[in-house]
Amino acid sequence: MSVTTTPHLNFRGDARAALEFYHSVFGGQLIVVTNEDAYSVERPEEAGQVKFGQVLGGNGFSIMAYDVPASVSYDQGDKSSFVSVRGDSAEEITGLWDRLVDGSTVLQDLAPSAFSPAYGMVQDRFGIIWVLDVAVAYDPAG
């Protein structure tokens, strides 16, 4: 049996733009189903908003997003979650970082850290905080 975890991000009208941006960073397949496509329009002005959206990268990357309807309460909050992206090499993470920082605010520069050959934190233009690093084997002996 196998289990996969995929972050599901909530937006208020920005889900399509966010998904398109993540697709430009990570590549793969972009899937966008609008409220109109799903025959679930509550308000005419929300017809084009995202009911279901996903980016599926060929490298295992996966993220989902949708637009919370105006009829439902929504508050993104401050640092309510981080999306962690781990790669096998500094080159791989640097390539993703270089694309992800476009229009974003760097919270911690991508650089070697005590626990990873490359670690950085960025808040994208949609308010999502991303943590990128190179995975290293855990040594319980220290």
Side-chain angles (χ1 to χ4, degrees):
M1 184 169 134
S2 175
V3 174
T4 301
T5 302
T6 300
H8 187 285
L9 306 176
N10 299 328
F11 296 92
R12 182 78 88 186
D14 288 329
R16 179 186 297 273
L19 287 163
E20 288 172 351
F21 175 61
Y22 304 148
H23 180 249
S24 76
V25 171
F26 297 99
Q29 180 184 18
L30 172 64
I31 302 164
V32 175
V33 177
T34 66
N35 290 322
E36 184 174 27
D37 296 335
Y39 304 103
S40 63
V41 177
E42 293 179 23
R43 297 176 181 193
E45 64 273 15
E46 295 178 341
Q49 290 187 354
V50 176
K51 180 75 170 182
F52 171 83
Q54 188 169 20
V55 175
L56 297 168
N59 60 359
F61 177 83
S62 179
I63 200 156
M64 297 170 68
Y66 100 116
D67 287 310
V68 178
S71 63
V72 177
S73 65
Y74 171 69
D75 180 7
Q76 185 178 27
D78 181 40
K79 297 177 187 67
S80 60
S81 64
F82 295 163
V83 177
S84 175
V85 176
R86 296 198 130 163
D88 292 330
S89 70
E91 293 78 23
E92 178 181 32
I93 289 300
T94 299
L96 296 172
W97 175 269
D98 289 345
R99 294 189 298 273
L100 193 57
V101 297
D102 182 34
S104 301
T105 301
V106 173
L107 303 176
Q108 183 167 338
D109 287 325
L110 184 66
S113 72
F115 55 86
S116 177
Y119 170 87
M121 185 182 291
V122 61
Q123 184 170 18
D124 71 25
R125 59 187 132 187
F126 306 102
I128 304 301
I129 297 175
W130 295 79
V131 177
L132 281 72
D133 68 346
V134 175
V136 295
Y138 172 68
D139 180 6

